Amino acid sequence: IQTMMANLESLGMNRIYTHVSMFTDSLYESEYYPMSRYVSGKIGKTVDYDPLEIIISEASLRQIQVEAWINPLRSFTKSEMEQVSNKFPVRQWYDDNELRKQNLMFVDNRYYLNPGSQDVRDLVNSYVKELCTKYNLAGVHIDDYEGCI
């Protein structure tokens, strides 16, 4: 991270976008989503450091602002979903047939959160509030480009 930030600084960059939620997972330890496998190698496996805090701290030392980038609707495949702890809403929805129909859609071997569901909108809002409360971010970008929704 230090090397990356030093490189960005040398190029005159003043802002970065950091992908913090790719598949209803999280780059940091979240109340709402499991830790991303891109951090620890396994869905939900926590680490003893905070990757997002390190990114923000190193960027701040160089006057680089950090904006969070999330994909709020794209979730896990069936086999990945079965690795998610049931303490997280997406797994609770998956395990309950009625909630699964209401909150999840299965397209091309992947689950997506249903944006028409109030539960889904509440979950996304809660995650964004958590992000903005825990971290000094310059912004949050919401991106979902999947054609199935």
Side-chain angles (χ1 to χ4, degrees), residues 62-121:
R62 296 161 178 86
Q63 287 74 51
I64 298 172
Q65 294 184 329
V66 177
E67 298 194 20
W69 166 21
I70 68 170
N71 291 94
L73 304 178
R74 182 176 55 190
S75 194
F76 301 105
T77 64
K78 184 177 180 181
S79 63
E80 291 168 340
M81 188 70 82
E82 291 173 359
Q83 298 171 42
V84 174
S85 167
N86 64 4
K87 75 177 187 176
F88 297 107
V90 293
R91 179 58 192 257
Q92 294 166 13
W93 298 342
Y94 173 80
D95 287 341
D96 182 296
N97 284 334
E98 218 32 60
L99 292 176
R100 186 186 310 173
K101 287 178 197 172
Q102 175 183 316
N103 297 324
L104 301 174
M105 299 176 290
F106 192 68
V107 178
D108 294 332
N109 200 39
R110 179 169 300 282
Y111 284 98
Y112 292 83
L113 276 59
N114 176 4
S117 165
Q118 187 63 51
D119 288 345
V120 167
R121 293 191 304 271

Side-chain angles (χ1 to χ4, degrees), residues 113-129:
L113 276 59
N114 176 4
S117 165
Q118 187 63 51
D119 288 345
V120 167
R121 293 191 304 271
D122 289 345
L123 175 63
V124 172
N125 285 335
S126 294
Y127 182 74
V128 171
K129 285 178 190 174

